[in-house]
Amino acid sequence: MTDSAQPTPLEARCSGPLAGRVRVPGDKSISHRALILGALSVGETRISGLLEGEDVINTANSMRALGARVERTGDFAWSVHGVGVAGFAEPRQALDFGNSGTGCRLVMGAVAGCPISAVFDGDASLRSRPMRRILDPLELMGARIADIREGGRLPVTLNGARNPVPITYRTPVASAQIKSAVLLAGLAAPGITTVIEQEASRDHTERMLKHFGAEIVSTPEGLHGRKIALTGEAELRGAEVVVPADPSSAAFPIVAALVVEGSDLVLSDVMTNPLRTGLLTTLREMGGSIEESDARSDTGEPMAQLRVRASKLRGVEVPPERAPAMIDEYLVLAVAAAYAEGTTVMRGLKELRVKESDRLAATADMLRVNGVRVEISGDDLIVEGRGHVPGGGLVATHMDHRIAMSALVMGLASDEPVEVDDTAFIATSFPDFIPMMRSLGAEFS
Ligand code: S3P
């Protein structure tokens, strides 16, 4: 996806009840990790349910450029023949991660443990995002930055370490991307690489490393944190990976069903890892009817079927320590908050400023242009819910998939339609969002 592509606007209108049963696409975080760990393994990794969105395809292409054999063997079924830990070949061209911070930052970690040089690049959104938070610990491990744009931005040329050094690293912010980059580099280092986080972030890398045969131990640290110790010079073995449905994508039909009167939806196989379910907790506190059934965890990550029914919502206060478990969901939570009765206060959202766009500002703008009263106070977002949304606004997507989907969800119950200026970036994470929502009864034109 380039930022010069022709924009494709879309309008969402007040719709009848949403009903049906769907499976949203595979989890983005797990899809990236399955491809990367598959490429760092010896033997074959078979992945089913892979998210075939642009972000993940860019990671698949970068694994090919680094020497792994990556093939699509069927619908959402992929096979990776890996090169082993530290076995990456030097890529002939720059690795282009498009819009994806996760793909770029995790692969930086994997490359940092190999004696090769690689150029990392992305689209205008990714080129504006901070990379120092990843490169600082990787430099401590022996990687060297040969070239970087001012302000620690892409494009970056990274020289991986010939003899990577294991470190103990305290992450400065709760970030699974920082944690994962350090752990992936640590795979090639002798001895124990340790990451300490004050607030636990999503633990998919730890779970999957174990699944691929690495020795990794995670213990509680402080009130909400974790300490993760990985034994280096690991030999990863190819494995089977079943990718559950992405809770961050499920968030859109879930909020849509809660706010569109009379709706009754079933979402299957949604991942319910507790480090990803902050939105479900919050929506339930707001009075949302979300029932879980068929819970299982036979594939390494817990998942369940969710039944969501339209509900009267009320404003709540969301504590800052919940942010890591719902960091990608605040945009769509703000939509639910606008439809609630009363004020919703979302605290501690500093990290939202450095996502695909400045999501704190973008969320406020999205609501404001549609007649919702909203305020940013420090790092907090305060939304005044009045039980309905006037709508009638044009929302700027800023190359951010989640802004586009949140605004379209908002328009499904607003008094006047809501328009978004560009839906193109939805393809990074949820390529079938528009037809899937239409199949449930959403009116887009
Ligand atoms: C992700 C981590 C989060 C999240 C992103 C996916 C991951 O980013 O926002 O969409 O897969 O590790 P941070 O690590 O920057 O919090």
Side-chain angles (χ1 to χ4, degrees):
M1 178 62 50
T2 66
D3 35 322
S4 58
Q6 201 57 353
T8 45
L10 194 70
E11 191 173 86
R13 250 171 301 111
C14 190
S15 306
L18 304 178
R21 164 191 284 273
V22 284
R23 187 193 198 275
V24 300
D27 186 72
K28 185 145 70 75
S29 294
I30 292 186
S31 295
H32 285 299
R33 286 161 172 79
L35 290 166
I36 296 168
L37 291 194
L40 290 173
S41 294
V42 174
E44 186 183 9
T45 288
R46 286 176 177 276
I47 310 167
S48 60
L50 189 89
L51 166 63
E52 294 177 343
E54 286 170 3
D55 280 7
V56 174
I57 299 300
N58 283 327
T59 293
N61 288 337
S62 76
M63 291 303 104
R64 284 189 186 115
L66 290 162
R69 205 166 94 210
V70 182
E71 291 157 330
R72 186 175 191 269
T73 53
D75 284 352
F76 315 109
W78 290 64
S79 156
V80 182
H81 284 87
V83 294
V85 166
F88 281 159
E90 191 155 294
R92 278 198 285 266
Q93 281 164 355
L95 303 173
D96 182 358
F97 292 92
N99 198 246
S100 177
T102 306
C104 178
R105 289 164 169 161
L106 267 54
V107 175
M108 281 178 167
V111 164
C114 302
I116 59 165
S117 173
V119 179
F120 290 77
D121 205 356
D123 68 13
S125 156
L126 190 54
R127 279 181 168 208
S128 73
R129 298 179 65 184
M131 293 297 155
R132 269 282 157 211
R133 52 171 59 195
I134 301 294
L135 298 169
D136 285 348
L138 297 182
E139 282 192 302
L140 294 175
M141 301 178 82
R144 289 287 163 258
I145 296 156
D147 195 16
I148 189 164
R149 239 184 69 226
E150 218 184 293
R153 305 295 199 254
L154 296 183
V156 167
T157 305
L158 187 66
N159 294 334
R162 193 158 294 279
N163 297 301
V165 183
I167 58 169
T168 294
Y169 195 68
R170 234 172 234 283
T171 56
V173 289
S175 163
Q177 293 177 0
I178 302 176
K179 169 177 63 181
S180 302
V182 173
L183 292 174
L184 291 173
L187 281 173
I192 312 277
T193 292
T194 306
V195 179
I196 302 169
E197 35 183 21
Q198 209 183 325
E199 306 273 343
S201 64
R202 62 190 70 191
D203 61 356
H204 310 307
T205 302
E206 297 92 302
R207 287 172 183 254
M208 208 183 283
L209 277 169
K210 203 173 277 173
H211 184 60
F212 278 75
E215 216 177 291
I216 181 163
V217 180
S218 178
T219 46
E221 173 85 9
L223 216 51
H224 307 288
R226 286 205 179 158
K227 179 176 181 176
I228 302 116
L230 169 77
T231 304
E233 295 185 315
E235 186 166 313
L236 303 184
R237 289 180 305 276
E240 301 271 325
V241 180
V242 178
V243 185
D246 193 331
S248 299
S249 295
F252 301 104
I254 288 173
V255 170
L258 290 175
V259 303
V260 175
E261 232 180 282
S263 297
D264 189 346
L265 274 194
V266 175
L267 295 145
S268 46
D269 299 341
V270 180
M271 195 226 292
T272 50
N273 180 320
L275 294 169
R276 294 288 298 280
T277 49
L279 178 74
L280 297 184
T281 307
T282 306
L283 292 173
R284 285 179 177 131
E285 286 172 1
M286 295 173 82
S289 167
I290 306 171
E291 279 169 34
E292 236 170 271
S293 63
D294 193 22
R296 58 201 196 283
S297 58
D298 45 335
T299 55
E301 290 279 358
M303 57 174 129
Q305 172 171 290
L306 303 180
R307 180 176 181 191
V308 189
R309 279 174 282 189
S311 308
K312 285 232 167 311
L313 302 176
R314 55 183 174 272
V316 293
E317 178 149 343
V318 190
E321 63 272 13
R322 198 178 291 165
M326 54 178 300
I327 195 65
D328 293 334
E329 280 70 73
Y330 282 100
L331 274 156
V332 77
L333 173 63
V335 170
Y339 280 100
E341 291 286 355
T343 304
T344 293
V345 183
M346 297 165 240
R347 298 216 185 271
L349 306 188
K350 191 165 176 221
E351 276 297 295
L352 289 194
R353 296 188 194 272
V354 292
K355 294 295 176 186
E356 285 83 331
S357 66
D358 176 347
R359 285 188 176 157
L360 198 49
T363 307
D365 291 346
M366 169 182 79
L367 297 179
R368 214 172 274 132
V369 294
N370 285 289
V372 179
R373 269 200 231 143
V374 56
E375 195 194 316
I376 295 171
S377 166
D379 296 329
D380 302 342
L381 183 70
I382 303 158
V383 178
E384 274 186 43
R386 283 184 291 166
H388 78 109
V389 169
L394 170 64
V395 175
T397 52
H398 301 289
M399 304 179 76
D400 189 329
H401 53 135
R402 298 198 205 280
I403 296 178
M405 290 186 276
S406 300
L408 290 171
V409 165
M410 182 161 65
L412 297 178
S414 53
D415 306 343
E416 298 293 328
V418 170
E419 194 184 354
V420 299
D421 65 350
D422 193 6
T423 56
F425 286 85
I426 293 175
T428 61
S429 70
F430 197 162
D432 284 337
F433 173 76
I434 293 167
M436 188 179 284
M437 292 301 291
R438 276 192 175 129
S439 77
L440 297 171
E443 292 196 32
F444 296 142
S445 56

